[in-house]
Amino acid sequence: TEITMLDVGQGDSIFVQEQGGFTFLMDGGSSDVSGVGTYRILPFLKSKGVRELTYAFVTHPDSDHYNGILECLEQSRESGVRIRYLAVSDLALEKEEKAYEKLFLAAGKAGTKVVCISEGDMLKCNKITLTCLYPGKEAAPKDKNGESLMFLMEAEGVRMLFTGDAGMEEEEQILRKIRGIHILKTGHHGSESSTGMPLLKAAKPDIAIISCGRNNSYGHPGKKTLKRLSDVPSRVLVTARTG
């Protein structure tokens, strides 16, 4: 199983490929790289010989997490890269339906089926198990970031936690389910409002990966976040520094 965090600038896009064919993107977008789907995501997929993504997950409806996926859907016939399923949060869809209109329209034209994901849902394919930890239908987040899908992936003995842009309040909802994490997708591009100490004490990640743009205007990753990660301690990898 191969896990690649793509350098998409100020945004998120993680590619997972299982030997044998199962592939997915966890988000795909950017707020500072134009044409991120056309010029970064699609060329990468083609370099890997991917002609079909089994799933493209959109953790929440912020464009820096989905505008590249939108481009992939719009160009699926010309590019030759098809997305079988587009997966979104059941809760976010209920609250932010208009934000998904372009995505759903493009999915329909591309022949991609839209599925809704909620806490407790599980996807299993050969050596990969992906379990949705949050949000459930009764969750009451304060903003779009708090609606982020969070997943635990288990693959060949490795446990990886995907947190979208969820904040510390949402992280508190999953603490019982995340013991012994090997790889953490650090929340909200390393923002200081995410990746709280309760999460880190529960997960104790060996590696923390952070996706953010070089010299971004948000100050990501935050100094307090990096200090918390160093206290675990976790090995920190940041796309803005390492590509």
Side-chain angles (χ1 to χ4, degrees), residues 17-24 52-54 125-126:
Q17 182 173 38
E18 178 185 53
Q19 190 174 15
F22 179 68
T23 57
F24 69 84
E52 180 179 82
L53 282 169
T54 315
C125 186
N126 300 323

Side-chain angles (χ1 to χ4, degrees), residues 15-179:
F15 172 75
V16 177
Q17 182 173 38
E18 178 185 53
Q19 190 174 15
F22 179 68
T23 57
F24 69 84
L25 274 181
M26 186 66 69
D27 285 326
S30 178
S31 61
D32 66 350
V33 175
S34 60
V36 67
T38 304
Y39 300 114
R40 299 212 180 173
I41 297 174
L42 281 172
F44 171 80
L45 294 175
K46 289 180 180 181
S47 77
K48 290 294 181 182
V50 175
R51 289 294 170 260
E52 180 179 82
L53 282 169
T54 315
Y55 279 90
F57 295 93
V58 176
T59 57
H60 63 294
D62 273 345
S63 62
D64 62 329
H65 289 253
Y66 75 77
N67 56 15
I69 290 175
L70 176 60
E71 289 175 36
C72 292
L73 288 168
E74 291 173 338
Q75 298 173 39
S76 63
R77 291 185 180 168
E78 299 122 37
S79 69
V81 179
R82 178 175 179 262
I83 299 173
R84 191 184 303 176
Y85 298 106
L86 174 68
V88 300
S89 162
D90 203 3
L91 179 72
L93 178 59
E94 185 180 317
K95 293 189 170 191
E96 316 282 351
E97 187 173 1
K98 284 190 175 181
Y100 290 110
E101 284 180 356
K102 286 184 179 179
L103 267 175
F104 292 169
L105 182 62
K109 290 180 178 179
T112 297
K113 184 178 180 180
V114 177
V115 295
C116 293
I117 302 287
S118 189
E119 180 183 346
D121 287 341
M122 181 183 291
L123 299 170
K124 188 171 177 60
C125 186
N126 300 323
K127 295 180 180 179
I128 291 180
T129 301
L130 196 63
T131 305
C132 181
L133 306 180
Y134 178 92
K137 293 181 181 179
E138 296 181 0
K142 295 177 181 178
D143 54 25
K144 280 196 288 187
N145 289 336
E147 296 165 5
S148 291
L149 286 165
M150 289 192 271
F151 288 96
L152 173 65
M153 184 180 80
E154 298 174 272
E156 302 181 61
V158 173
R159 290 161 58 85
M160 179 169 178
L161 181 62
F162 298 88
T163 57
D165 279 359
M168 293 185 193
E169 287 185 27
E170 291 75 41
E171 293 169 358
E172 300 265 347
Q173 308 301 312
I174 66 169
L175 297 182
R176 294 179 293 104
K177 307 172 186 177
I178 57 167
R179 306 294 172 186

